[in-house]
């Protein structure tokens, strides 16, 4: 007697847990990169991820929450630290890279998600500080740590809030002013008029 044919196992039935969540976030990120926030629907993400909408709604209450999670995944890409030999040079280079990224397609996605999030405080907070639990903040702290090792700054300056000040100010330009790109003169001003005086002001030898 011939054996009954076993049901075909689909991607949706095979994957679960972290594997399925990764597939969903990857699909959502692809939609954002290709077509922007307006095209991000639960139906489209479910189709690309090879699952059903219920799997999405169990993890995220709506498309905006899913979009924020997908954007945070994009923003958490590993940062390559510059090494110009000076704290000023490294800080300017990192700001210029971030400015270039935010004024590109990623910036459009971020602005679209901020608009879609509306008055949802928790989602806006995640968008305004996507690096709070990622490698980005650590990268800035590492850059300042290198400056301390070179003698460009004293150990007293090595504080996470100090290290991340330039990026916080750059993000504020985008979020508060809604501009598509920050002029390079503003980046120089952030470094020369705010960051470096802040770092050097924490030198006890200058008190």
């Amino acid at each position: 007697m011939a054996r009954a044919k076993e049901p075909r196992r689909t991607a949706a039935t095979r994957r679960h847990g972290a594997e399925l969540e990764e597939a969903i976030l990857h699909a959502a990120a692809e939609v954002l990169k290709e077509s922007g926030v307006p095209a991000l629907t639960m139906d489209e993400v479910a189709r690309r991820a090879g699952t059903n909408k219920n799997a999405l709604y169990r993890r995220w209450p709506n498309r905006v929450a899913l979009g924020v999670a997908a954007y945070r995944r994009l923003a958490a890409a590993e940062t390559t630290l510059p090494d110009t030999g000076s704290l000023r040079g490294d800080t300017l280079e990192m700001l210029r890279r971030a400015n270039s990224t935010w004024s590109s397609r990623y910036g459009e996605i971020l602005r679209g998600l901020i608009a879609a999030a509306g008055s949802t405080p928790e989602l806006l907070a995640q968008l305004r500080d996507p690096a709070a639990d990622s490698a980005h903040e650590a990268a800035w702290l590492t850059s300042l740590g290198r400056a301390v090792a070179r003698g460009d700054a004293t150990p007293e300056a090595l504080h996470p809030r100090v290290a991340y000040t330039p990026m916080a100010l750059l993000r504020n330009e985008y979020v508060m002013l809604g501009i598509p790109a920050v002029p390079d003169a503003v980046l120089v001003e952030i470094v020369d008029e705010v960051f470096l005086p802040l770092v050097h002001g924490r030198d006890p030898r200058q008190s």
Side-chain angles (χ1 to χ4, degrees), residues 81-195:
L81 289 175
D83 190 4
T84 66
S86 73
L87 178 59
R88 182 180 188 275
D90 289 350
T91 305
L92 268 176
E93 177 61 23
M94 292 174 75
L95 281 180
R96 284 167 175 159
R97 290 180 184 179
N99 192 38
S100 177
T101 298
W102 289 355
S103 61
S104 67
R105 184 64 173 166
Y106 287 94
E108 293 179 19
I109 293 170
L110 175 59
R111 289 187 290 274
L113 285 171
I114 289 174
S119 59
T120 309
E122 60 272 20
L123 293 180
L124 290 174
Q126 292 178 44
L127 285 170
R128 287 173 179 169
D129 193 15
D133 56 0
S134 76
H136 288 77
E137 187 170 297
W140 282 89
L141 194 58
T142 297
S143 177
L144 186 54
R146 288 180 178 179
V148 171
R150 289 194 303 262
D152 285 354
T154 63
E156 287 77 12
L158 194 57
H159 189 284
R161 291 190 182 276
V162 174
Y164 206 63
T165 294
M167 279 293 285
L169 293 174
L170 177 60
R171 180 174 290 111
N172 186 70
E173 294 288 324
Y174 278 95
V175 174
M176 300 303 295
L177 302 180
I179 55 180
V182 176
D184 194 70
V186 174
L187 307 185
V188 174
E189 188 175 76
I190 287 173
V191 175
D192 291 344
E193 303 300 328
V194 181
F195 183 58

